[in-house]
Amino acid sequence: MVKIYILLTLVMLMWGLNVSALKVLVEAVDPMLLTSFRIMVAGIAVLIICSVMGIFRLPHKHEWLIIFYISVFNVILHHTTVAIGIDMTTGINAALILGMMPLVTVMMTVVFLRERVVWLRILGFLFGFTGVAVTTLAGKGGLAAISIGDLIVFIGVVVQGFSFVLISKLKPTFDPRLATGYMLLMGSIFILIASLISGSPVKEIGYLFDWKLGLIFLFSAVLASAFGHMTYNYAIKKVGPAEAAIFINMNTLFAITGAAIFLNEQITMNHVVGFVLILCGVFLGTGAVENIINKRRRRDIGV
């Protein structure tokens, strides 16, 4: 489990820094077009990695259907709704709503997987959510009134939470890392079609051939998206969607750190308090406290 937790923390670091990377990229390329191209490159990269690892194979007929279902929720609906929603609300509101992912995922596992969540882990998710709330409200704007954009972003959170449950239901015969490649590639095609229909200027892709933007794009597509998603989906199969989702709270911490370093944004006391709460949430939500308590109980009774 320690190895999985280290990998999840690394993924959260990449996803956090990816916020700064995307902020730079969308200033040069249309967001929808960029998303489709980034996810497409990520999907191809994942399939190549899977081939090198020796786990590549074509899905069977019934597996294509499962991959399509997950792709609809995890890639197409999630990325599309979040992109549209963020454009219609404030960044603070969007960050706070996206921070609800662990809580939404827990709700999904309880409803669809009939999992029992002990009170310590529930407390961990609440700590994590509070940490995200404190951190994202550190800006000057505060939390504005609920808008249609807020609702659309929340829908994006719900559909991704549901996709995590679907991923956990994948049959052991099909590696979730390989499924990630197919999901990303399939989803990117639909997003590309949608971006072209909406009139996205295809010529803007040429801007990515600039060496600086090109390196940022490769980090975002290959490391943050390809490696990040295949590792996270693999972790879901190993530790479950609820336990893996608690790490998403660390996105906010790393995103703020990256913004301070690369975008020269200021870190406030709210961010420090949020950081402490997020760490407490991860510690409780991953079951670390449970394990310590159980070990002490076993030691006390001489087991």
Side-chain angles (χ1 to χ4, degrees):
M1 288 298 180
V2 174
K3 180 180 178 182
I4 294 296
Y5 293 156
I6 292 174
L7 284 174
L8 281 171
T9 302
L10 179 60
V11 169
M12 293 308 115
L13 172 62
M14 291 181 178
W15 285 357
L17 296 180
N18 193 40
V19 173
S20 296
L22 289 177
K23 188 172 179 64
V24 173
L25 291 172
V26 295
E27 291 179 357
V29 183
D30 176 79
M32 285 288 288
L33 183 64
L34 174 70
T35 298
S36 64
F37 191 58
R38 179 174 60 87
I39 294 176
M40 183 177 294
V41 171
I44 294 173
V46 170
L47 294 178
I48 292 175
I49 294 172
C50 288
S51 179
V52 173
M53 295 173 63
I55 60 175
F56 178 83
R57 70 171 175 84
L58 292 175
H60 300 308
K61 186 179 297 185
H62 71 281
E63 291 172 334
W64 274 118
L65 190 59
I66 296 174
I67 290 172
F68 174 74
Y69 283 150
I70 299 176
S71 180
V72 167
F73 292 98
N74 187 269
V75 181
I76 301 171
L77 289 179
H78 171 67
H79 285 281
T80 302
T81 52
V82 170
I84 294 174
I86 288 177
D87 189 49
M88 300 172 66
T89 186
T90 64
I92 291 174
N93 283 32
L96 177 58
I97 296 169
L98 288 171
M100 295 174 66
M101 177 64 67
L103 297 178
V104 172
T105 304
V106 168
M107 179 189 71
M108 293 289 183
T109 59
V110 171
V111 173
F112 295 104
L113 302 182
R114 299 292 189 268
E115 287 192 6
R116 185 179 66 87
V117 183
V118 299
W119 71 270
L120 274 177
R121 294 200 178 192
I122 293 176
L123 185 62
F125 284 102
L126 293 176
F127 266 120
F129 175 78
T130 303
V132 171
V134 170
T135 304
T136 53
L137 291 175
K140 296 180 180 179
L143 187 61
I146 299 297
S147 67
I148 186 65
D150 296 326
L151 178 61
I152 294 175
V153 172
F154 180 72
I155 292 173
V157 170
V158 172
V159 295
Q160 189 174 47
F162 182 66
S163 76
F164 292 156
V165 175
L166 291 178
I167 290 170
S168 71
K169 300 285 283 185
L170 275 176
K171 294 185 180 300
T173 55
F174 200 83
D175 194 293
R177 293 166 292 187
L178 179 59
T180 300
Y182 286 117
M183 283 188 314
L184 292 172
L185 193 58
M186 186 182 296
S188 68
I189 294 173
F190 284 93
I191 297 176
L192 177 60
I193 294 173
S195 68
L196 294 178
I197 292 176
S198 65
S200 298
V202 181
K203 64 179 182 180
E204 289 187 356
I205 290 295
Y207 297 150
L208 297 178
F209 288 98
D210 172 79
W211 73 269
K212 181 179 178 180
L213 287 178
L215 287 176
I216 295 174
F217 175 80
L218 288 176
F219 164 77
S220 178
V222 178
L223 293 180
S225 297
F227 174 79
H229 280 287
M230 70 182 294
T231 301
Y232 187 79
N233 291 343
Y234 176 73
I236 289 176
K237 284 292 291 182
K238 291 295 184 181
V239 301
E243 191 165 324
I246 187 66
F247 280 84
I248 291 180
N249 281 318
M250 298 180 71
N251 265 343
T252 305
L253 166 66
F254 292 130
I256 289 172
T257 303
I261 296 174
F262 300 109
L263 303 178
N264 297 318
E265 296 185 3
Q266 184 180 6
I267 295 179
T268 67
M269 181 55 66
N270 291 58
H271 298 137
V272 176
V273 174
F275 167 65
V276 174
L277 289 171
I278 288 171
L279 285 184
C280 291
V282 171
F283 191 59
L284 291 169
T286 55
V289 173
E290 287 179 66
N291 291 334
I292 293 174
I293 293 175
N294 290 334
K295 286 181 180 179
R296 287 185 176 179
R297 285 177 177 173
R298 289 194 295 267
R299 185 182 61 191
D300 290 342
I301 62 177
V303 176

